[in-house]
Amino acid sequence: MSDIDVAMARALLLARRGPSSDPNPRVGCVVLDDAGEVVGEGWHEGAGSPHAEVAALARAGTAAHGGTAVVTLEPCGHTGRTGPCTAALITAGVARVVFARPDANPDAAGGAQRLRAAGIHVSQIEDLGLRTEADALVARWQQAQDLGRPVVTWKFASTLDGRGAAADGTSQWITGAPARQDVHDLRADADTILVGTGTAWTDDPRLTVRDRRGADRPQQPRRAVMGLRGLRPGSVLERTGATVLDTRCPHEALRRLWALGSRHVWLEGGATLAAVFWQARLVDHVVAYVAPAFLGLGAPAVADLGIGSIDAIARLRLDDVTRLGDDLRLMLTPTPDPTEGA
């Protein structure tokens, strides 16, 4: 690998240190001096904090002059809570900027053009693997920008006969330990975990992201509850200050979460809440865990989706199948309704 490729791989690692629960994309930056040596590193630590380029330039100091800034996302050219990264790069006197992917956000795009106008050589990295990695790093954030609302991932677990709970209401645990840990790993990429008040009252969930020892991770998504019942007094969510969305309208819930900075909602349940989002066509991804077990009687994992005939069957694209212990994880994307726009 070239020095630039090595620096970009490092920048991608730095970017992952940024919080997933943030309205901004995760970005990393490495600054090389004119001899190709690393003199500064930085990443975006959250809304209102210095952007990755600014943090890396601060560590590099005057050694950045005549050097190269290697950054995972095209430097922004706009002023938000902080100033434009392009201005910082120009002031630092860097000679070259290499980025992994262009910034498709219309409010922030155009940074490369501004840098070129200032006489800085700007290019996109040639390594397709690094480009793909950079795309994946901000995929959910970019999708949210395109949608103008948070991306919604619906997760559920079921038995082979489609049950999400037993006849007596118990539901822990349908799947085994590997699948449950996988849920926490995926939750960590969302900035909000959302349940309905029914689930909040019945299960009294923590809605945290935990490591393999069962301890809460340092970075936690927002915990939110949607519905008109409020929180059960003394419940975990009530004691820890979960966000209450006192509405039954999924569009309104997402509007409020967007205003709070949410860009990726992990929809945990229950089945009724998920059905509301599905019927409103607000589910963008589905993660289904299937256990090799039967319950017979019991609550279905999926509630009424408003499908009345086989002609209206809701088909999904199967993106991935992974075995986790004895369980299967299916990752799916709803396919467009062929009747829409007709």
Side-chain angles (χ1 to χ4, degrees):
M1 296 177 71
S2 69
D3 290 345
I4 296 297
D5 289 347
V6 171
M8 185 63 76
R10 174 62 179 168
L12 287 163
L13 286 175
L14 293 170
R16 290 188 177 86
R17 296 183 182 180
S20 60
S21 54
D22 193 82
N24 300 311
R26 287 184 282 184
V27 181
C29 178
V30 172
V31 176
L32 308 175
D33 64 14
D34 55 6
E37 298 296 322
V38 175
V39 292
E41 296 183 340
W43 65 93
H44 184 51
E45 298 184 15
S49 65
H51 286 190
E53 299 93 320
V54 175
L57 290 169
R59 292 181 174 92
T62 57
H65 189 84
T68 300
V70 181
V71 61
T72 59
L73 185 67
E74 177 188 358
C76 67
H78 80 303
T79 300
R81 295 188 187 184
T82 60
C85 297
T86 49
L89 291 163
I90 293 169
T91 301
V94 299
R96 183 184 181 194
V97 172
V98 181
F99 61 88
R101 62 158 288 152
D103 192 336
N105 180 1
D107 293 330
Q113 182 177 353
R114 297 189 184 193
L115 293 171
R116 291 189 182 103
I120 297 174
H121 182 271
V122 182
S123 62
Q124 186 174 6
I125 198 162
E126 295 181 358
D127 189 294
L128 294 179
L130 293 172
R131 287 191 189 186
T132 299
E133 195 174 341
D135 288 343
L137 186 66
V138 296
R140 292 290 182 263
W141 174 84
Q142 186 60 64
Q143 187 179 10
Q145 300 305 309
D146 296 339
L147 292 170
R149 61 162 175 81
V151 175
V152 176
T153 297
W154 170 22
K155 167 262 171 183
F156 67 89
S158 78
T159 58
L160 283 175
D161 51 348
R163 302 298 178 182
D168 64 358
T170 56
S171 60
Q172 298 180 341
W173 297 102
I174 288 175
T175 57
R180 297 199 299 273
Q181 183 56 53
D182 188 68
V183 171
H184 286 282
D185 294 341
L186 293 181
R187 271 183 180 179
D189 284 330
D191 55 48
T192 300
I193 304 173
L194 178 64
V195 298
T197 51
T199 295
W201 278 71
T202 301
D203 295 346
D204 193 19
R206 291 163 59 185
L207 302 186
T208 56
V209 174
R210 298 185 283 279
D211 62 23
R212 297 184 183 277
R213 298 169 298 166
D216 286 350
R217 297 186 188 183
Q219 294 183 13
Q220 290 292 327
R222 177 184 294 104
R223 292 153 303 144
V225 179
M226 175 179 156
L228 302 180
R229 294 174 61 186
L231 297 174
R232 190 176 75 191
S235 65
V236 172
L237 294 176
E238 194 263 348
R239 295 197 311 271
T240 54
T243 299
V244 178
L245 305 170
D246 55 344
T247 179
R248 290 177 177 168
C249 174
H251 293 279
E252 176 62 16
L254 292 183
R255 187 191 67 79
R256 295 184 190 182
L257 289 172
W258 180 271
L260 292 172
S262 177
R263 297 298 180 264
H264 182 197
V265 172
W266 183 260
L267 188 61
E268 281 276 358
T272 301
L273 179 69
V276 168
F277 273 82
W278 181 274
Q279 291 195 52
R281 296 193 173 112
L282 292 174
V283 173
D284 305 298
H285 304 277
V286 177
V287 180
Y289 295 87
V290 182
F294 292 114
L295 274 172
L297 297 176
V302 178
D304 180 10
L305 300 181
I307 300 169
S309 71
I310 195 66
D311 291 337
I313 191 171
R315 298 195 182 277
L316 296 87
R317 184 184 72 224
L318 182 60
D319 299 318
D320 179 74
V321 179
T322 298
R323 180 171 178 172
L324 301 164
D326 290 331
D327 306 312
L328 290 181
R329 183 195 67 197
L330 310 180
M331 304 191 80
L332 311 111
T333 302
T335 57
D337 185 339
T339 65
E340 287 188 12

